[in-house]
Amino acid sequence: MRYGQYEFLLQIKKWDTNYTRTIIFVFLIDAALVIFHNSPPRLMVSELKMDVSCPEACFQAESATECMSHFEQWTETRFWRNRLSIVSVVRQICQAEINEDLVQEFSKIGTLNLFTMVQAIHSLMFHLQNSLIFETTLAPVQTGLENWRRIWDKRIPEDIDIRETPETLWKLVGFLRHASEFWHLARIKSAKIISAADDAQTENEDTHEASRYDHTDMGDVNGLIMEYRRMNLGMV
């Protein structure tokens, strides 16, 4: 391949991956409003049909050659070969318990994608907690949470070998490293939904509370966090 064609191909790949990351971050902002302000999702999980995001190494490469090298490694993974979308990965982990080989491969998907997956489960639960709920309805969510935790426990953080210095701060995972705390919060929410479905009085109280859409005091999520602190959920 001539140098000009090489550079052109690299620019196309960069545009595609930057577009994917932009949509992912738009979804994450929307999901944060769902969690912290009880706002109805504007972007549905079923709309996340873009490919999973490429590894951070592709965006942190210091040369075109290094960037292309990381892209080529990514094309060898099942995520690229099967052009897996975010929604297809979420669907797969929620359908049934996945085997250890798949857990190991999914653990290489990257922290951003794992954070997006757990946020997607939160978005799904918003619709469940505001509808008539039976325990079996939550089975896919609970399966997804169990599979997600197994995958998270196997992952190797992208910044594991990066020293925390002023020059390298931009390369660190950052806030995404707290994805496991959102997993704990999702477990608490699912337990409350099941409890509410089994108790008519609690269900009425939760229905009234859930009707407070777009509130800004974050009282509901603060209550869940306090409950989270009291529960022994096996912290990371």
Side-chain angles (χ1 to χ4, degrees):
M1 182 182 294
R2 291 179 299 176
Y3 180 77
Q5 294 175 320
Y6 174 86
E7 288 293 308
F8 178 69
L9 178 60
L10 181 58
Q11 289 302 319
I12 291 177
K13 287 189 175 183
K14 279 186 175 180
W15 182 89
D16 184 49
T17 53
N18 283 328
Y19 169 80
T20 295
R21 283 168 70 92
T22 299
I23 300 301
I24 286 176
F25 280 113
V26 169
F27 171 75
L28 292 180
I29 293 172
D30 185 52
L33 293 174
V34 174
I35 295 171
F36 296 112
H37 299 293
N38 202 38
S39 300
R42 274 70 171 180
L43 187 59
M44 301 294 103
V45 177
S46 59
E47 297 180 85
L48 302 179
K49 298 179 180 179
M50 62 286 193
D51 295 346
V52 298
S53 180
C54 292
E56 290 299 314
C58 296
F59 299 91
Q60 297 179 4
E62 298 181 359
S63 67
T65 302
E66 182 185 351
C67 183
M68 180 58 78
S69 175
H70 290 304
F71 272 129
E72 289 174 348
Q73 292 177 34
W74 179 247
T75 60
E76 297 299 319
T77 66
R78 68 181 290 117
F79 310 111
W80 179 271
R81 291 197 311 269
N82 300 335
R83 300 311 298 264
L84 294 181
S85 63
I86 295 291
V87 66
S88 67
V89 173
V90 173
R91 184 181 296 116
Q92 188 167 358
I93 69 168
C94 288
Q95 283 180 340
E97 180 180 346
I98 57 179
N99 60 44
E100 286 302 316
D101 289 340
L102 201 53
V103 168
Q104 190 64 45
E105 189 154 9
F106 273 22
S107 69
K108 302 172 184 176
I109 200 171
T111 305
L112 174 60
N113 292 312
L114 285 171
F115 188 79
T116 304
M117 288 158 60
V118 76
Q119 295 292 72
I121 293 176
H122 273 281
S123 185
L124 292 173
M125 284 199 298
F126 176 89
H127 297 288
L128 295 178
Q129 72 182 15
N130 290 285
S131 61
L132 186 60
I133 296 300
F134 299 97
E135 183 173 351
T136 53
T137 309
L138 274 175
V141 166
Q142 293 173 308
T143 299
L145 288 172
E146 291 305 312
N147 283 329
W148 186 92
R149 181 52 188 259
R150 292 168 59 205
I151 295 168
W152 179 262
D153 287 345
K154 293 286 186 180
R155 101 188 215 283
I156 299 176
E158 296 92 326
D159 58 358
I160 191 171
D161 295 322
I162 299 177
R163 296 182 60 186
E164 189 171 336
T165 65
E167 294 76 19
T168 59
L169 282 177
W170 68 277
K171 292 187 175 184
L172 300 179
V173 172
F175 183 78
L176 303 180
R177 71 176 67 252
H178 301 298
S180 61
E181 297 183 17
F182 286 83
W183 174 84
H184 285 304
L185 187 60
R187 285 191 65 193
I188 294 172
K189 282 186 175 182
S190 65
K192 286 178 68 69
I193 293 172
I194 293 172
S195 177
D198 291 338
D199 188 302
Q201 182 178 358
T202 305
E203 182 178 358
N204 290 335
E205 292 172 357
D206 282 0
T207 301
H208 173 71
E209 185 174 294
S211 65
R212 297 173 59 239
Y213 296 135
D214 298 318
H215 58 85
T216 59
D217 59 6
M218 297 198 300
D220 296 342
V221 74
N222 284 336
L224 285 173
I225 291 172
M226 293 305 296
E227 184 174 348
Y228 161 69
R229 289 177 177 175
R230 293 192 298 267
M231 295 178 65
N232 181 14
L233 294 176
M235 293 290 291
V236 177

